[in-house]
Short mmCIF file of all heavy atoms in Angstrom, two decimals:
data_model
loop_
_atom_site.label_atom_id
_atom_site.label_comp_id
_atom_site.label_asym_id
_atom_site.label_seq_id
_atom_site.Cartn_x
_atom_site.Cartn_y
_atom_site.Cartn_z
N PRO W 1 13.16 -10.21 7.33
CA PRO W 1 12.45 -11.39 7.85
C PRO W 1 13.06 -12.68 7.33
O PRO W 1 13.48 -12.76 6.17
CB PRO W 1 11.02 -11.18 7.33
CG PRO W 1 10.90 -9.71 7.15
CD PRO W 1 12.23 -9.24 6.70
N ALA W 2 13.09 -13.70 8.18
CA ALA W 2 13.72 -14.96 7.82
C ALA W 2 12.96 -15.69 6.72
O ALA W 2 13.56 -16.42 5.92
CB ALA W 2 13.85 -15.85 9.05
N GLU W 3 11.65 -15.51 6.67
CA GLU W 3 10.83 -16.19 5.69
C GLU W 3 9.87 -15.21 5.04
O GLU W 3 9.54 -14.16 5.59
CB GLU W 3 10.03 -17.33 6.34
CG GLU W 3 10.89 -18.44 6.94
CD GLU W 3 10.06 -19.54 7.57
OE1 GLU W 3 8.81 -19.36 7.64
OE2 GLU W 3 10.64 -20.56 7.98
N GLY W 4 9.43 -15.56 3.84
CA GLY W 4 8.44 -14.75 3.15
C GLY W 4 9.03 -13.49 2.56
O GLY W 4 10.24 -13.36 2.34
N ARG W 5 8.18 -12.55 2.34
CA ARG W 5 8.58 -11.31 1.70
C ARG W 5 9.46 -10.45 2.61
O ARG W 5 9.26 -10.42 3.83
CB ARG W 5 7.36 -10.50 1.29
CG ARG W 5 6.54 -11.12 0.17
CD ARG W 5 5.50 -10.15 -0.29
NE ARG W 5 4.79 -10.63 -1.47
CZ ARG W 5 3.97 -9.89 -2.18
NH1 ARG W 5 3.76 -8.62 -1.84
NH2 ARG W 5 3.38 -10.38 -3.25
N LYS W 6 10.39 -9.77 1.98
CA LYS W 6 11.19 -8.81 2.73
C LYS W 6 10.38 -7.58 3.07
O LYS W 6 10.51 -7.01 4.15
CB LYS W 6 12.44 -8.40 1.93
CG LYS W 6 13.58 -9.40 1.92
CD LYS W 6 13.28 -10.73 1.44
CE LYS W 6 14.49 -11.65 1.33
NZ LYS W 6 14.10 -12.87 0.58
N VAL W 7 9.54 -7.12 2.12
CA VAL W 7 8.59 -6.04 2.38
C VAL W 7 7.21 -6.67 2.41
O VAL W 7 6.59 -6.91 1.38
CB VAL W 7 8.65 -4.93 1.32
CG1 VAL W 7 7.66 -3.82 1.67
CG2 VAL W 7 10.06 -4.37 1.19
N SER W 8 6.72 -6.94 3.60
CA SER W 8 5.43 -7.63 3.74
C SER W 8 4.30 -6.67 4.09
O SER W 8 3.13 -7.00 3.87
CB SER W 8 5.53 -8.70 4.84
OG SER W 8 5.84 -8.09 6.10
N ASN W 9 4.63 -5.50 4.65
CA ASN W 9 3.65 -4.51 5.08
C ASN W 9 4.07 -3.13 4.60
O ASN W 9 5.27 -2.82 4.56
CB ASN W 9 3.53 -4.48 6.61
CG ASN W 9 3.01 -5.77 7.20
OD1 ASN W 9 3.57 -6.85 7.00
ND2 ASN W 9 1.92 -5.68 7.95
N ILE W 10 3.10 -2.31 4.25
CA ILE W 10 3.41 -0.92 3.96
C ILE W 10 2.49 -0.01 4.75
O ILE W 10 1.35 -0.37 5.07
CB ILE W 10 3.33 -0.58 2.45
CG1 ILE W 10 1.94 -0.86 1.88
CG2 ILE W 10 4.38 -1.35 1.68
CD1 ILE W 10 1.81 -0.43 0.42
N VAL W 11 3.00 1.16 5.10
CA VAL W 11 2.26 2.14 5.88
C VAL W 11 2.38 3.49 5.18
O VAL W 11 3.49 3.97 4.95
CB VAL W 11 2.79 2.26 7.33
CG1 VAL W 11 1.92 3.21 8.13
CG2 VAL W 11 2.85 0.91 8.01
N MET W 12 1.25 4.10 4.87
CA MET W 12 1.26 5.47 4.36
C MET W 12 1.36 6.39 5.56
O MET W 12 0.39 6.92 6.07
CB MET W 12 0.00 5.76 3.54
CG MET W 12 -0.17 4.93 2.29
SD MET W 12 1.17 5.13 1.09
CE MET W 12 1.24 6.90 0.88
N MET W 13 2.59 6.58 6.02
CA MET W 13 2.84 7.35 7.22
C MET W 13 4.14 8.13 7.12
O MET W 13 4.74 8.51 8.10
CB MET W 13 2.87 6.42 8.44
CG MET W 13 2.79 7.13 9.79
SD MET W 13 2.99 5.99 11.14
CE MET W 13 1.37 5.32 11.27
N GLY W 14 4.61 8.35 5.92
CA GLY W 14 5.82 9.14 5.73
C GLY W 14 5.50 10.61 5.68
O GLY W 14 4.59 11.10 6.34
N MET W 15 6.22 11.33 4.88
CA MET W 15 6.00 12.77 4.75
C MET W 15 4.63 13.05 4.12
O MET W 15 4.27 12.43 3.11
CB MET W 15 7.11 13.38 3.90
CG MET W 15 8.50 13.23 4.49
SD MET W 15 9.80 13.82 3.39
CE MET W 15 9.40 15.58 3.36
N GLY W 16 3.88 13.98 4.72
CA GLY W 16 2.62 14.41 4.14
C GLY W 16 1.39 13.74 4.73
O GLY W 16 1.48 12.79 5.51
N GLU W 17 0.23 14.25 4.36
CA GLU W 17 -1.07 13.73 4.75
C GLU W 17 -1.66 12.99 3.54
O GLU W 17 -2.06 13.61 2.56
CB GLU W 17 -1.99 14.86 5.18
CG GLU W 17 -3.47 14.50 5.30
CD GLU W 17 -3.76 13.32 6.20
OE1 GLU W 17 -3.48 13.39 7.41
OE2 GLU W 17 -4.28 12.31 5.68
N PRO W 18 -1.71 11.65 3.58
CA PRO W 18 -2.14 10.90 2.39
C PRO W 18 -3.55 11.22 1.92
O PRO W 18 -3.84 11.15 0.73
CB PRO W 18 -2.00 9.43 2.83
CG PRO W 18 -1.92 9.46 4.32
CD PRO W 18 -1.31 10.75 4.68
N LEU W 19 -4.46 11.59 2.83
CA LEU W 19 -5.83 11.87 2.42
C LEU W 19 -5.98 13.25 1.78
O LEU W 19 -7.05 13.56 1.25
CB LEU W 19 -6.79 11.71 3.59
CG LEU W 19 -6.90 10.28 4.13
CD1 LEU W 19 -8.01 10.16 5.15
CD2 LEU W 19 -7.12 9.28 3.00
N TYR W 20 -4.93 14.06 1.79
CA TYR W 20 -4.90 15.28 1.00
C TYR W 20 -4.32 15.04 -0.38
O TYR W 20 -4.17 15.97 -1.17
CB TYR W 20 -4.13 16.38 1.72
CG TYR W 20 -4.95 17.14 2.75
CD1 TYR W 20 -4.34 17.81 3.80
CD2 TYR W 20 -6.33 17.20 2.67
CE1 TYR W 20 -5.08 18.50 4.74
CE2 TYR W 20 -7.09 17.90 3.60
CZ TYR W 20 -6.45 18.54 4.63
OH TYR W 20 -7.20 19.25 5.56
N ASN W 21 -3.98 13.82 -0.67
CA ASN W 21 -3.53 13.40 -1.99
C ASN W 21 -4.23 12.09 -2.34
O ASN W 21 -3.64 11.14 -2.81
CB ASN W 21 -2.00 13.23 -2.00
CG ASN W 21 -1.43 13.00 -3.40
OD1 ASN W 21 -2.07 13.28 -4.41
ND2 ASN W 21 -0.21 12.47 -3.45
N PHE W 22 -5.54 12.05 -2.08
CA PHE W 22 -6.29 10.80 -2.09
C PHE W 22 -6.21 10.06 -3.41
O PHE W 22 -5.95 8.85 -3.43
CB PHE W 22 -7.76 11.06 -1.72
CG PHE W 22 -8.58 9.80 -1.63
CD1 PHE W 22 -8.63 9.08 -0.44
CD2 PHE W 22 -9.28 9.32 -2.72
CE1 PHE W 22 -9.37 7.91 -0.35
CE2 PHE W 22 -10.03 8.15 -2.63
CZ PHE W 22 -10.07 7.44 -1.44
N GLU W 23 -6.45 10.73 -4.52
CA GLU W 23 -6.55 10.02 -5.79
C GLU W 23 -5.25 9.35 -6.18
O GLU W 23 -5.25 8.21 -6.65
CB GLU W 23 -7.01 10.98 -6.90
CG GLU W 23 -8.44 11.49 -6.72
CD GLU W 23 -9.49 10.39 -6.71
OE1 GLU W 23 -9.24 9.31 -7.31
OE2 GLU W 23 -10.55 10.57 -6.08
N GLN W 24 -4.13 10.02 -5.99
CA GLN W 24 -2.84 9.43 -6.33
C GLN W 24 -2.47 8.30 -5.36
O GLN W 24 -1.93 7.27 -5.77
CB GLN W 24 -1.74 10.50 -6.35
CG GLN W 24 -1.95 11.58 -7.40
CD GLN W 24 -1.99 11.02 -8.81
OE1 GLN W 24 -1.14 10.23 -9.21
NE2 GLN W 24 -2.99 11.42 -9.58
N VAL W 25 -2.77 8.49 -4.08
CA VAL W 25 -2.54 7.43 -3.10
C VAL W 25 -3.41 6.22 -3.42
O VAL W 25 -2.95 5.07 -3.39
CB VAL W 25 -2.81 7.94 -1.67
CG1 VAL W 25 -2.86 6.78 -0.67
CG2 VAL W 25 -1.74 8.95 -1.27
N LYS W 26 -4.67 6.47 -3.74
CA LYS W 26 -5.58 5.39 -4.09
C LYS W 26 -5.05 4.58 -5.27
O LYS W 26 -5.01 3.35 -5.24
CB LYS W 26 -6.96 5.96 -4.42
CG LYS W 26 -7.95 4.93 -4.97
CD LYS W 26 -9.26 5.60 -5.36
CE LYS W 26 -10.20 4.61 -6.06
NZ LYS W 26 -11.48 5.27 -6.45
N LYS W 27 -4.64 5.26 -6.32
CA LYS W 27 -4.16 4.57 -7.50
C LYS W 27 -2.93 3.71 -7.17
O LYS W 27 -2.84 2.55 -7.59
CB LYS W 27 -3.80 5.59 -8.59
CG LYS W 27 -3.49 4.97 -9.95
CD LYS W 27 -3.00 6.01 -10.95
CE LYS W 27 -4.03 7.04 -11.23
NZ LYS W 27 -3.55 7.97 -12.32
N ALA W 28 -2.00 4.26 -6.39
CA ALA W 28 -0.80 3.52 -6.02
C ALA W 28 -1.11 2.30 -5.17
O ALA W 28 -0.57 1.21 -5.39
CB ALA W 28 0.19 4.45 -5.30
N LEU W 29 -2.00 2.46 -4.18
CA LEU W 29 -2.30 1.35 -3.28
C LEU W 29 -3.11 0.26 -3.96
O LEU W 29 -2.97 -0.92 -3.64
CB LEU W 29 -3.02 1.86 -2.03
CG LEU W 29 -2.19 2.75 -1.10
CD1 LEU W 29 -2.97 3.08 0.17
CD2 LEU W 29 -0.85 2.10 -0.75
N LEU W 30 -3.97 0.63 -4.91
CA LEU W 30 -4.70 -0.39 -5.66
C LEU W 30 -3.75 -1.22 -6.51
O LEU W 30 -3.95 -2.43 -6.68
CB LEU W 30 -5.78 0.26 -6.52
CG LEU W 30 -7.00 0.81 -5.75
CD1 LEU W 30 -7.97 1.49 -6.71
CD2 LEU W 30 -7.70 -0.28 -4.96
N ILE W 31 -2.71 -0.60 -7.05
CA ILE W 31 -1.70 -1.35 -7.80
C ILE W 31 -0.89 -2.22 -6.84
O ILE W 31 -0.60 -3.39 -7.13
CB ILE W 31 -0.79 -0.40 -8.59
CG1 ILE W 31 -1.58 0.30 -9.69
CG2 ILE W 31 0.40 -1.16 -9.19
CD1 ILE W 31 -0.81 1.39 -10.41
N ALA W 32 -0.52 -1.68 -5.68
CA ALA W 32 0.26 -2.46 -4.70
C ALA W 32 -0.49 -3.69 -4.23
O ALA W 32 0.12 -4.71 -3.90
CB ALA W 32 0.63 -1.57 -3.52
N SER W 33 -1.82 -3.62 -4.18
CA SER W 33 -2.63 -4.74 -3.70
C SER W 33 -3.21 -5.59 -4.82
O SER W 33 -3.96 -6.54 -4.55
CB SER W 33 -3.76 -4.22 -2.80
OG SER W 33 -4.62 -3.32 -3.50
N ASP W 34 -2.89 -5.28 -6.06
CA ASP W 34 -3.41 -6.03 -7.20
C ASP W 34 -2.87 -7.46 -7.18
O ASP W 34 -1.65 -7.67 -7.12
CB ASP W 34 -3.02 -5.33 -8.51
CG ASP W 34 -3.64 -5.98 -9.73
OD1 ASP W 34 -3.15 -7.04 -10.17
OD2 ASP W 34 -4.64 -5.45 -10.23
N GLY W 35 -3.77 -8.42 -7.25
CA GLY W 35 -3.37 -9.82 -7.13
C GLY W 35 -2.52 -10.35 -8.25
O GLY W 35 -1.83 -11.36 -8.09
N ASP W 36 -2.52 -9.68 -9.41
CA ASP W 36 -1.71 -10.11 -10.54
C ASP W 36 -0.36 -9.39 -10.61
O ASP W 36 0.36 -9.54 -11.59
CB ASP W 36 -2.46 -9.89 -11.85
CG ASP W 36 -3.68 -10.78 -11.99
OD1 ASP W 36 -3.64 -11.92 -11.50
OD2 ASP W 36 -4.69 -10.31 -12.57
N GLY W 37 -0.05 -8.63 -9.57
CA GLY W 37 1.20 -7.88 -9.58
C GLY W 37 1.92 -7.98 -8.26
O GLY W 37 2.40 -9.03 -7.86
N LEU W 38 1.99 -6.87 -7.54
CA LEU W 38 2.68 -6.82 -6.27
C LEU W 38 1.97 -7.61 -5.19
O LEU W 38 2.59 -8.12 -4.26
CB LEU W 38 2.87 -5.36 -5.83
CG LEU W 38 3.81 -4.55 -6.73
CD1 LEU W 38 3.63 -3.05 -6.50
CD2 LEU W 38 5.26 -4.95 -6.47
N ALA W 39 0.64 -7.70 -5.28
CA ALA W 39 -0.17 -8.64 -4.50
C ALA W 39 0.01 -8.53 -2.99
O ALA W 39 0.04 -9.53 -2.28
CB ALA W 39 0.10 -10.08 -4.97
N LEU W 40 0.12 -7.31 -2.47
CA LEU W 40 0.13 -7.14 -1.02
C LEU W 40 -1.30 -7.23 -0.49
O LEU W 40 -2.22 -6.63 -1.05
CB LEU W 40 0.72 -5.78 -0.65
CG LEU W 40 2.24 -5.66 -0.60
CD1 LEU W 40 2.64 -4.19 -0.47
CD2 LEU W 40 2.80 -6.46 0.57
N SER W 41 -1.50 -7.97 0.57
CA SER W 41 -2.81 -8.05 1.19
C SER W 41 -3.23 -6.68 1.71
O SER W 41 -2.42 -5.94 2.30
CB SER W 41 -2.79 -9.05 2.35
OG SER W 41 -3.95 -8.93 3.15
N LYS W 42 -4.49 -6.31 1.52
CA LYS W 42 -4.98 -5.04 2.04
C LYS W 42 -4.94 -4.99 3.57
O LYS W 42 -4.93 -3.89 4.14
CB LYS W 42 -6.39 -4.76 1.52
CG LYS W 42 -6.41 -4.47 0.02
CD LYS W 42 -7.80 -4.10 -0.45
CE LYS W 42 -7.78 -3.76 -1.94
NZ LYS W 42 -9.12 -3.35 -2.43
N ARG W 43 -4.90 -6.13 4.19
CA ARG W 43 -4.76 -6.17 5.64
C ARG W 43 -3.32 -5.93 6.09
O ARG W 43 -3.06 -5.82 7.28
CB ARG W 43 -5.30 -7.49 6.20
CG ARG W 43 -6.78 -7.69 5.93
CD ARG W 43 -7.35 -8.88 6.63
NE ARG W 43 -7.32 -8.74 8.07
CZ ARG W 43 -7.94 -9.54 8.92
NH1 ARG W 43 -8.66 -10.53 8.47
NH2 ARG W 43 -7.85 -9.36 10.23
N ARG W 44 -2.42 -5.86 5.13
CA ARG W 44 -1.03 -5.52 5.42
C ARG W 44 -0.68 -4.12 4.92
O ARG W 44 0.49 -3.76 4.87
CB ARG W 44 -0.09 -6.57 4.80
CG ARG W 44 -0.18 -7.93 5.50
CD ARG W 44 0.80 -8.92 4.88
NE ARG W 44 0.81 -10.19 5.59
CZ ARG W 44 1.60 -10.51 6.59
NH1 ARG W 44 2.48 -9.60 7.03
NH2 ARG W 44 1.55 -11.69 7.17
N ILE W 45 -1.70 -3.37 4.52
CA ILE W 45 -1.52 -1.99 4.10
C ILE W 45 -2.27 -1.09 5.08
O ILE W 45 -3.46 -1.26 5.31
CB ILE W 45 -2.05 -1.76 2.66
CG1 ILE W 45 -1.29 -2.65 1.67
CG2 ILE W 45 -1.91 -0.29 2.27
CD1 ILE W 45 -1.85 -2.59 0.26
#
């Protein structure tokens, strides 16, 4: 992208069923959306 973040959106849509690994996915996505860190908007996840 010409402006802003290069990785602006993420999709849990790769290999596997994310809801069969809920706790680990949850932990990772909460860190990804943490405002003091990676700070991705939950509307972009």
Side-chain angles (χ1 to χ4, degrees):
E3 297 180 354
R5 292 189 173 190
K6 282 57 175 191
V7 181
S8 61
N9 296 57
I10 59 176
V11 185
M12 297 300 307
M13 194 185 279
M15 298 175 65
E17 166 55 63
L19 295 188
Y20 277 157
N21 189 19
F22 183 87
E23 293 300 333
Q24 297 301 311
V25 168
K26 173 184 173 180
K27 189 186 298 185
L29 293 185
L30 288 177
I31 294 173
S33 60
D34 185 282
D36 293 326
L38 293 163
L40 278 169
S41 167
K42 291 185 178 182
R43 298 188 66 169
R44 291 182 175 269
I45 299 174

